[in-house]
């Protein structure tokens, strides 16, 4: 077998068999294939697609390319949650402590920011001292002891994805349904949880921008996981505007703490409860979504969720005082209000552009070696559909310099459309996808 014949087969739209898939996946993981041949194959997959069985085979080969986490020492059903990536999308920091406070163990491996989207690890690292790199042994012990740990993926988990993703990023082949599904699901399967709740984003800030494509991605991922014997469910949720009002690492930690304190409600809280409820259902800790949401709400309003978050921060060597005083989080030297240029209603937002704005302020990376500034970002004071008068604060920017703030003002205004006609608030949860099918909500 050789790469040329595999590329030719996919070029002619024929499905690849298990042997062919194993050949290029294990070769990519070991770094023994030529990048130009892998890149050609990725483009052939991007253009010609893969059927469901092929996508499952690809995912399993990627999963097997590295080590598999063994979480069997943890009592109870381990549940993971994964978002396909969003802006102001901080549900993990809210729901993981709430789910753990309800007695369901959360052993979560999270990622860093990718493209215009934020990453949970980068957010947690804005808490002084917080360690995201634990040994597998320490990770499991922490979950056994306090029911909750959020760490980075070990380097040996799905190494084929690392190699393929790096190439996809620079060959315009990220936006391929089978490549996205296999990339995400290989890491989730290797992470070891028995039940997986997916949050598949849809809209202007999502990897799949139409509802149809997002539901399809959810279905493919749910089927892959179910075929591998995992309990699977997905919600397809809005990313036509940032989920929370805060965008940026420390700012998003602040908003998560505000929600856990009961100070702030809104879509971040609503979606965290909805996803958390699916996690409780998957773990068999509730019979109906309503019962599950009630239990999570009770954990929130009693303060047990915040206490669980504090326990995790202490266990991972962070400064737990941020739970009581969010001003201890990194603060940007410059803040600037962005006034609305006209009176009207917020019509729409270019969410990817907003995510990229946060990244350009220093909240994310443009190249691997970039160092993140945890303090920068912005807070939006209006959502789509809300009214605003000329001169009122549309947003507050948090920046390193005055010059950054000036440039960011113009970019933020360009990404948010205000118009005279009334506009509807956006629907938050669009669909529920299980192995039995998709239900539009
Ligand atoms: N997130 C991933 O991990 N992989 C993709 O391909 C897209 C989003
Ligand atoms: Ca993420």
């Amino acid at each position: 077998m050789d790469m040329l014949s595999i590329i030719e087969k996919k070029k002619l739209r024929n499905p690849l068999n298990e042997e062919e898939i194993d050949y290029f996946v294990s070769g990519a993981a070991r770094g023994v294939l030529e990048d130009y041949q892998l890149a050609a194959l990725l483009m052939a997959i991007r253009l010609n697609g893969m059927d469901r069985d092929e996508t499952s085979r690809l995912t399993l080969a990627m999963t097997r390319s590295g080590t598999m986490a063994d979480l069997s020492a943890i009592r109870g059903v381990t549940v993971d949650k994964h978002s396909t990536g969003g802006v102001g999308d901080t549900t993990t920091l809210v729901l993981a402590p709430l789910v753990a406070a309800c007695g369901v163990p959360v052993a979560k491996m999270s990622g860093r920011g990718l493209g215009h989207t934020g990453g949970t690890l980068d957010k947690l690292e804005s808490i002084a001292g917080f360690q995201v790199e634990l040994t597998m042994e320490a990770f499991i012990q922490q979950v056994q002891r306090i029911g909750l740990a959020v760490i980075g993926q070990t380097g040996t988990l799905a190494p084929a994805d690392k190699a393929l993703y790096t190439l996809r990023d620079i060959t315009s082949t990220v936006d391929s349904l089978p490549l996205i599904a296999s990339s995400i699901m290989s890491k989730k399967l290797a992470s070891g949880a028995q039940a997986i709740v997916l949050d598949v984003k849809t809209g202007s800030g999502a990897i799949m921008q139409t509802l149809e494509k997002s539901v399809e991605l959810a279905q493919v991922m749910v089927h892959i996981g179910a075929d591998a014997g995992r309990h699977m469910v997905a919600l397809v949720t809005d990313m036509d505007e940032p989920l929370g009002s805060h965008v940026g690492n420390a700012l998003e930690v602040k908003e998560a703490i505000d929600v856990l304190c009961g100070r702030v409600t809104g879509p971040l809280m609503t979606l965290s409860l909805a996803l958390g409820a699916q996690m409780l259902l998957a773990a068999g800790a509730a019979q109906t979504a309503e019962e599950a949401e009630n239990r999570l709400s009770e954990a929130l309003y009693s303060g047990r969720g915040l206490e669980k978050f504090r326990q995790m921060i202490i266990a991972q060597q962070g400064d737990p005082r941020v739970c009581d005083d969010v001003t201890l989080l990194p603060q940007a030297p410059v803040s600037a209000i962005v006034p609305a240029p006209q009176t009207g209603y917020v019509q729409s937002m270019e969410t990817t552009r907003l995510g990229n704005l946060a990244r350009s302020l220093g909240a994310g990376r443009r190249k691997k070696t970039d160092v993140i500034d945890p303090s920068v970002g912005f807070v939006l004071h209006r959502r789509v559909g809300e009214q605003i008068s000329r001169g009122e604060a549309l947003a507050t920017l948090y920046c390193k310099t005055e010059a950054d703030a000036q440039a960011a003002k113009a970019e933020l205004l360009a990404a948010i459309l205000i118009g005279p006609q009334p506009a509807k608030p956006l629907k938050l949860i669009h669909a529920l996808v299980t192995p039995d099918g998709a239900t539009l909500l």
Side-chain angles (χ1 to χ4, degrees):
M1 194 172 321
D2 60 43
M3 277 302 281
L4 190 55
S5 60
I6 298 174
I7 295 166
E8 289 210 28
K9 197 167 171 187
K10 187 40 72 182
K11 180 183 77 178
L12 299 174
R13 298 172 188 270
N14 293 310
L16 303 179
N17 64 33
E18 193 170 338
E19 253 191 303
E20 290 156 343
I21 287 176
D22 278 341
Y23 180 87
F24 86 80
V25 169
S26 78
R30 287 178 288 121
V32 298
L33 300 176
E34 302 296 344
D35 276 354
Y36 55 84
Q37 290 192 313
L38 270 176
L41 178 60
L42 289 169
M43 186 55 83
I45 294 171
R46 163 62 182 82
L47 296 176
N48 293 336
M50 279 186 151
D51 64 34
R52 288 223 172 152
D53 287 344
E54 229 182 338
T55 307
S56 275
R57 287 198 286 274
L58 174 60
T59 308
L60 294 181
M62 288 167 68
T63 307
R64 287 192 303 258
S65 70
T67 54
M68 308 269 284
D70 178 4
L71 304 182
S72 58
I74 296 167
R75 278 180 54 194
V77 180
T78 47
V79 192
D80 200 351
K81 187 274 318 176
H82 184 84
S83 158
T84 57
V87 179
D89 177 18
T90 323
T91 59
T92 296
L93 298 189
V94 177
L95 64 77
L98 291 177
V99 169
C102 290
V104 172
V106 180
K108 181 147 176 48
M109 292 187 205
S110 286
R112 297 203 177 268
L114 208 57
H116 68 283
T117 71
T120 300
L121 298 182
D122 297 328
K123 294 173 201 177
L124 283 170
E125 282 180 348
S126 63
I127 300 170
F130 196 98
Q131 297 299 315
V132 298
E133 279 168 33
L134 265 58
T135 63
M136 211 50 211
E137 202 181 1
F139 175 57
I140 288 172
Q141 273 173 9
Q142 183 176 321
V143 178
Q144 286 171 323
R145 193 161 53 82
I146 65 168
L148 172 64
V150 179
I151 65 164
Q153 283 148 19
T154 61
T156 55
L157 202 107
D161 177 59
K162 195 162 217 169
L164 295 176
Y165 196 92
T166 305
L167 273 180
R168 286 168 62 206
D169 207 18
I170 51 177
T171 56
S172 191
T173 52
V174 169
D175 63 339
S176 150
L177 196 147
L179 294 178
I180 295 167
S182 56
S183 167
I184 292 175
M185 286 307 297
S186 62
K187 287 175 284 196
K188 291 292 109 184
L189 295 179
S191 304
Q194 291 159 276
I196 300 164
V197 176
L198 298 171
D199 180 10
V200 177
K201 300 293 182 186
T202 192
S204 65
I207 201 161
M208 292 294 180
Q209 309 213 330
T210 67
L211 182 57
E212 195 188 359
K213 277 277 171 205
S214 304
V215 169
E216 193 186 346
L217 175 62
Q219 285 179 309
V220 170
M221 291 197 289
V222 162
H223 281 291
I224 292 170
D227 286 347
R230 311 298 169 93
H231 181 109
M232 295 296 303
V233 60
L235 294 181
V236 178
T237 73
D238 176 70
M239 196 35 70
D240 261 329
E241 67 186 331
L243 177 61
S245 57
H246 291 50
V247 180
N249 295 290
L251 290 166
E252 292 182 48
V253 172
K254 171 191 177 295
E255 189 172 20
I257 292 172
D258 284 343
V259 171
L260 287 170
C261 288
R263 281 195 288 269
V264 164
T265 58
L268 172 62
M269 181 174 107
T270 306
L271 184 57
S272 299
L273 293 177
L275 291 165
Q278 292 300 328
M279 293 170 77
L280 293 194
L281 287 173
Q287 299 311 310
T288 64
E290 195 189 354
E291 181 198 340
E293 286 209 26
N294 286 340
R295 288 194 57 190
L296 292 163
S297 292
E298 207 275 317
L300 195 157
Y301 287 111
S302 66
R304 284 188 294 122
L306 184 66
E307 278 319 299
K308 195 49 83 179
F309 189 52
R310 188 195 311 272
Q311 284 177 14
M312 177 176 80
I313 294 174
I314 293 169
Q316 295 184 230
Q317 292 157 53
D319 180 356
R321 294 175 305 158
V322 296
C323 294
D324 309 305
D325 182 0
V326 289
T327 66
L328 292 171
L329 289 162
Q331 306 283 316
V334 174
S335 69
I337 284 175
V338 185
Q342 65 186 99
T343 295
Y345 299 83
V346 178
Q347 307 287 320
S348 61
M349 299 193 192
E350 289 178 61
T351 313
T352 295
R353 197 163 172 181
L354 289 172
N356 278 325
L357 171 61
R359 176 158 73 154
S360 70
L361 288 173
R365 299 173 190 81
R366 296 201 152 268
K367 40 184 203 312
K368 256 166 118 172
T369 49
D370 284 351
V371 177
I372 281 184
D373 182 338
S375 70
V376 299
F378 49 84
V379 177
L380 300 176
H381 303 303
R382 290 291 189 283
R383 301 191 72 82
V384 169
E386 290 180 347
Q387 209 171 2
I388 193 161
S389 299
R390 182 188 155 94
E392 277 187 295
L394 175 63
T396 305
L397 296 161
Y398 295 90
C399 306
K400 288 186 232 198
T401 64
E402 293 287 350
D404 279 3
Q406 279 312 318
K409 243 181 219 184
E411 182 60 13
L412 187 125
L413 288 174
I416 299 178
L417 183 64
I418 297 173
Q421 62 279 27
K424 275 203 208 142
L426 298 169
K427 188 178 171 72
L428 182 59
I429 303 178
H430 292 280
L432 172 77
V433 177
T434 71
D436 295 330
T439 313
L440 293 181
L441 302 170

